[in-house]
Each structure stands twice: as C-alpha cells, then as structure tokens.
Amino acid sequence: DRKGIVAGNVVIEDRGDSIDWSKLGSGGWSIPSTVDEVKIKKVNAEYVLVVEKNAGFERLHEDKFWQKQKCILIGTGGQPSRGTRLLIQRLNSEHDLPVYVFTDADSYGWYIYSVIKSGSISLAHVSDRIATPEAKFIGLSTSDIYEYDLKKCTIKLKDVDIKRAKEMLEYEWFKKNPKWQKEINLMLEKGVKAEIEALSHRGLKFMSEEYLPQKLKKGDFLD
C-alpha cells in the first residue's frame, strides 16, 4: 500500500515518467510501496525533514517550509512504510543529505524515530538496507514542553505509554545514550506527553517560522 507523502525541489523518474516534487500542489507525491526502481535525477536541497503526522506535513507544506528552508519534506503518516524508509535512506546515502526526524513527544513517536534510524524487529532481515543510522531527532522532546511553554497542551500518560517508555529505556542504543535516557525518564517523571500540534498554541506559524528554524540553527538534535 502507498503510505507517505513528499515535497521538495527534486525531480525523479518513475516508470518512464518525470515527476517534479515541487510542482504537485497541496498533495505532494504519494510514496509507493517500493522505490527501488525510482531514479532520483535532480536534487536541490540541503537536508530531509521527516514528519510523523500528515497534519504536521500539511501545516509545513502550506507554509512552504521546504521552499524557504531548502529541504525535502516527508510525511510518514505514523509508522513509516518500507518504501518511505528506503526513500529516506537513499536520499541520505546517495545524495549525502542529513535526515532530521520530527515526531510527537511520546514513546510512540520516539519509537518511529528509532525505526527510521535502526530498523524494526518485523523487518529485521532488510533493516540494514532501509535504515538510516545517521538520522537525528529534531523534536518534539519532553524538554521542549518546558522550554517552549507548552505545559497547557500536554496529555497525561496512559499505562501503555509508560510500558513502552520503560521498554525503550532498555533498547540497545537508547540505553547507551545519556540524552535519550534523560528525555525518557523526564517524561516518566512528569507523567505527560505532547503532540506536534501543541506548537500551534504559540501561534499558527510558530512551528515553521520559529521552532524548527531555531532547532536547525542551534543544531539542537538528539542522536
């Protein structure tokens, strides 16, 4: 099934058709289940921004974030499909583009980041080929909730959130990373999570004009 959308200043060839990702209106290009045979012919971008939610993608696409920031914008629509993960990996490895992942501040969103970075158990047999180890997490973090005054927009953790967070503390690379240990433990300590949409509490264009540009400028990422 097709899952995932993309926009950016990129030209590809798909089954003989030339497709310009910058000229597809509000919808973007729908990523197919396999992108092995897609030829990436022209790329004019400095990095890839992967957004967990389609609502976040649409907000950034409407604000022409990919044009202003000279990036490729990818919406995964939740857990990324194999085709989306391979496309991210190809843009990173074949075109040397940094990859930044933008998710909700919760254990589910952070798990999506881990799948993009290191692969999933269900696709372990192909994870090396479709994972992007160089991917970095740009947000939303638990620390951001307090740094950007989003406390009024938080959601109480459910038992399933707590269970997954505790499991993640034991995942190999989360376990080895002090910054991630701090973020996960902070979420458990505060007992709250937040969605990307919480940033709209600071203004409709806060996400595209302040939050993400500030993060990129400061290099404020989690590995």
Side-chain angles (χ1 to χ4, degrees), residues 172-182 222-223:
E172 185 177 355
W173 64 268
F174 277 128
K175 191 173 183 177
K176 293 179 179 178
N177 191 311
K179 290 183 178 180
W180 271 112
Q181 290 282 312
K182 176 185 174 183
L222 285 168
D223 291 331

Side-chain angles (χ1 to χ4, degrees), residues 5-35:
I5 43 181
V6 60
N9 198 356
V10 175
V11 177
I12 64 165
E13 184 179 310
D14 185 12
R15 297 187 179 180
D17 294 328
S18 183
I19 301 168
D20 188 339
W21 291 350
S22 69
K23 297 180 180 179
L24 293 173
S26 61
W29 186 61
S30 180
I31 302 170
S33 58
T34 175
V35 296

Side-chain angles (χ1 to χ4, degrees), residues 51-161:
V51 186
E52 170 193 354
K53 289 184 168 178
N54 286 342
F57 172 92
E58 289 165 6
R59 173 74 264 161
L60 293 168
H61 190 25
E62 185 175 329
D63 290 347
K64 297 294 188 225
F65 183 84
W66 59 268
Q67 283 185 343
K68 297 172 183 175
Q69 292 289 327
K70 200 173 181 182
C71 71
I72 297 168
L73 189 61
I74 296 178
T76 66
Q79 190 65 255
S81 67
R82 178 186 177 278
T84 299
R85 288 165 57 189
L86 180 55
L87 180 63
I88 294 167
Q89 193 275 338
R90 287 188 60 191
L91 290 167
N92 172 252
S93 64
E94 296 175 15
H95 297 274
D96 201 28
L97 295 178
V99 172
Y100 305 122
V101 182
F102 184 33
T103 77
D104 290 340
D106 64 17
S107 49
Y108 181 78
W110 298 344
Y111 179 71
I112 286 175
Y113 166 64
S114 77
V115 167
I116 292 169
K117 187 178 181 75
S118 61
S120 63
I121 295 172
S122 62
L123 287 175
H125 58 293
V126 293
S127 284
D128 286 347
R129 193 168 72 84
I130 65 177
T132 308
E134 294 181 8
K136 297 182 185 299
F137 184 82
I138 196 169
L140 202 61
S141 68
T142 308
S143 297
D144 288 340
I145 293 172
Y146 302 94
E147 182 174 347
Y148 292 92
D149 193 21
L150 306 175
K151 295 186 290 296
K152 293 180 180 178
C153 307
T154 58
I155 303 166
K156 186 178 179 181
L157 292 181
K158 297 179 180 179
D159 289 344
V160 65
D161 298 316

